[in-house]
Amino acid sequence: MMSDWNKRTKAVHHGIRRSQYGEVSEAIFMTQGFVYDSAEAAEARFIKAGPDEFIYARYGNPTVAMFEDRIAALEGTEDGFATASGMAAVHGALAAMLKAGDHVVSARALFGSCLYILQEVLTRFGVQVTFVDGTDLAAWQAAIRPDTKVVFFESISNPTLEVVDIKAVADLAHAHGATVIVDNVFSTPVFSDAVALGADVIIYSATKHIDGQGRALGGVILGTRDFIRGTVEPFMKHTGGSMSPFTAWLMLKGLETLDLRVRAQAASAQHIAQALVADGTLRVIYPGLPDHPQHALTLAQMGSGGTMMAIDAGSKDAAFSLLNRLEIFTISNNLGDAKSIVTHPATTTHQRLDAATKLELGITPGLIRCSIGLEDADDLLADLRAAIG
């Protein structure tokens, strides 16, 4: 039975819908609309569409449904809604369920665009947001109130790689009836156990590891069927943040190799991080290293340090000099790609933050975020060593 399959098997086969032609590779249903046999059939479908009935591509599409079913099976949720980008997923999951006067508690260490949604967008519409140190359980306990509606955090923060104790925070949130929303991008579906640890809603930027080859933007919101179809779908279908059929097909192809790619990338990241620490020339941040503050939690929660690491060159000038000497690593602001990518967060993804906030979040002038790709690990290490040296 499909439910008994391991993740790697589900990533290749789960949720497939074959047309009358019996294709091996999933079909791209490149249509925005669907035909009804009669006016009565159209009326009935608008009242309630069946599980394999579609109305409009903004509401749903067979190719998109295959991706939603497959990623939900990997994550262990009942359902999912695929979105046009990772940020459409973040905004959609939050905005679909929040209203003026609601209270949100969020970890402070977040991707720059996530911070913008929480600090600028939601508060503009009357949502109250409290930020805490995501690694401090006492801070979570003090901030979560009886009227808290949502708790939000990245399981591993971008770019400083702080790891949040999902089970402990979820227990605190559920004691007050709050919904736990986890942005799980750095953990990836391969290493994720977020649902079993108590997360109610999982968000992915599928642009990252799921596509994994720099081809398309996409995202997904995962949760119970009632939440996805009763809360998220009505909001998303009317606000227009749904995924295109062609993008869904790319994501399906990405899922087929996701396990192999992510495990290889994580193994390379571990190898490179350990070697750089042994060199002792600069600070290395990697959850798979014993000196990481949440190393034990990382191994218990994921079983791996993941594909992302960071190094600190000491200053902006030193960081820029290092970046400009790299030959294999690409300077870009994406991550989770087959190509290894380096980013200077202070001047790119988090540049809008003031200097004091950056330092509070650990985004120092010399910090470089490294996304480890599929190149030979020793070649990547040699490239970094030459640039550092």
Side-chain angles (χ1 to χ4, degrees), residues 334-386:
N334 193 26
L335 60 92
D337 197 281
K339 297 178 177 65
S340 291
I341 291 171
V342 282
T343 306
H344 186 250
T347 56
T348 58
T349 57
H350 292 72
Q351 57 81 26
R352 74 175 190 87
L353 303 179
D354 60 54
T357 302
K358 288 174 186 173
L359 289 178
E360 183 184 20
L361 296 175
I363 304 170
T364 59
L367 189 74
I368 298 170
R369 188 188 74 192
C370 306
S371 173
I372 305 302
L374 291 174
E375 302 94 343
D376 182 87
D378 287 327
D379 286 344
L380 293 174
L381 178 59
D383 194 29
L384 283 167
R385 279 173 166 163

Side-chain angles (χ1 to χ4, degrees), residues 54-94:
F54 301 93
I55 295 170
Y56 192 63
R58 186 157 40 83
Y59 296 25
N61 172 283
T63 313
V64 177
M66 283 190 269
F67 171 65
E68 291 169 344
D69 288 352
R70 192 168 297 179
I71 186 67
L74 287 184
E75 196 63 33
T77 62
E78 292 178 350
D79 209 345
F81 191 94
T83 62
S85 69
M87 290 315 305
V90 172
H91 177 254
L94 290 166

Side-chain angles (χ1 to χ4, degrees), residues 26 36 113 144 239 321 353:
E26 296 83 357
Y36 313 101
S113 294
I144 298 171
T239 55
S321 180
L353 303 179

Side-chain angles (χ1 to χ4, degrees), residues 29-38 41-42 45-46 52-65 245:
F29 291 90
M30 208 66 186
T31 180
Q32 87 274 52
F34 300 86
V35 174
Y36 313 101
D37 293 335
S38 66
R45 196 172 300 182
F46 267 79
D52 252 340
E53 293 181 336
F54 301 93
I55 295 170
Y56 192 63
R58 186 157 40 83
Y59 296 25
N61 172 283
T63 313
V64 177

Side-chain angles (χ1 to χ4, degrees), residues 49-370:
D52 252 340
E53 293 181 336
F54 301 93
I55 295 170
Y56 192 63
R58 186 157 40 83
Y59 296 25
N61 172 283
T63 313
V64 177
M66 283 190 269
F67 171 65
E68 291 169 344
D69 288 352
R70 192 168 297 179
I71 186 67
L74 287 184
E75 196 63 33
T77 62
E78 292 178 350
D79 209 345
F81 191 94
T83 62
S85 69
M87 290 315 305
V90 172
H91 177 254
L94 290 166
M97 66 179 301
L98 293 170
K99 65 182 185 304
D102 283 344
H103 180 237
V104 176
V105 180
S106 171
R108 66 187 183 185
L110 299 172
F111 176 54
S113 294
C114 293
L115 280 171
Y116 179 82
I117 285 176
L118 287 156
Q119 290 176 327
E120 306 289 340
V121 177
L122 294 180
T123 55
R124 192 184 306 162
F125 294 97
V127 175
Q128 303 171 46
V129 182
T130 301
F131 289 97
V132 299
D133 178 347
T135 65
D136 185 348
L137 291 179
W140 284 106
Q141 188 165 23
I144 298 171
R145 313 187 309 225
D147 64 338
T148 299
K149 184 74 175 288
V150 168
V151 163
F152 179 83
F153 58 89
E154 295 171 353
S155 52
I156 304 178
S157 69
N158 181 0
T160 50
L161 301 170
E162 296 178 355
V163 182
V164 175
D165 188 330
I166 297 173
K167 185 180 187 309
V169 175
D171 286 346
L172 291 173
H174 290 157
H176 292 288
T179 298
V180 178
I181 302 181
V182 178
D183 184 332
N184 217 27
V185 170
F186 279 26
S187 294
T188 80
V190 173
F191 298 128
S192 172
D193 203 19
V195 173
L197 293 171
D200 300 303
V201 179
I202 312 290
I203 294 166
Y204 283 107
S205 171
T207 311
K208 311 304 190 291
H209 301 88
I210 293 170
D211 173 32
Q213 292 159 80
R215 299 172 298 190
L217 295 174
V220 66
I221 305 166
L222 298 156
T224 65
R225 187 157 290 111
D226 284 347
F227 176 72
I228 295 299
R229 298 304 156 190
T231 302
V232 173
E233 182 186 287
F235 180 85
M236 297 303 293
K237 76 182 184 182
H238 292 301
T239 55
S242 53
M243 180 179 282
S244 77
F246 183 71
T247 297
W249 182 81
L250 289 174
M251 298 305 174
L252 283 163
K253 297 296 98 182
L255 285 177
E256 292 180 351
T257 60
L258 176 68
D259 191 280
L260 295 169
R261 287 185 287 105
V262 167
R263 291 188 188 279
Q265 289 167 295
S268 292
Q270 183 78 37
H271 172 71
I272 293 165
Q274 288 174 338
L276 291 179
V277 167
D279 291 346
T281 53
L282 44 67
R283 181 179 174 226
V284 180
I285 305 169
Y286 180 64
L289 292 174
D291 67 349
H292 189 281
Q294 295 91 43
H295 173 66
L297 173 64
T298 300
L299 295 186
Q301 208 159 265
M302 292 172 52
S304 167
T307 69
M308 304 295 299
M309 57 180 285
I311 56 178
D312 198 324
S315 69
K316 175 184 171 181
D317 287 345
F320 274 30
S321 180
L322 191 160
L323 291 170
N324 291 335
R325 287 197 297 269
L326 290 165
E327 295 184 357
I328 300 174
F329 282 85
T330 302
I331 300 174
S332 183
N333 48 290
N334 193 26
L335 60 92
D337 197 281
K339 297 178 177 65
S340 291
I341 291 171
V342 282
T343 306
H344 186 250
T347 56
T348 58
T349 57
H350 292 72
Q351 57 81 26
R352 74 175 190 87
L353 303 179
D354 60 54
T357 302
K358 288 174 186 173
L359 289 178
E360 183 184 20
L361 296 175
I363 304 170
T364 59
L367 189 74
I368 298 170
R369 188 188 74 192
C370 306

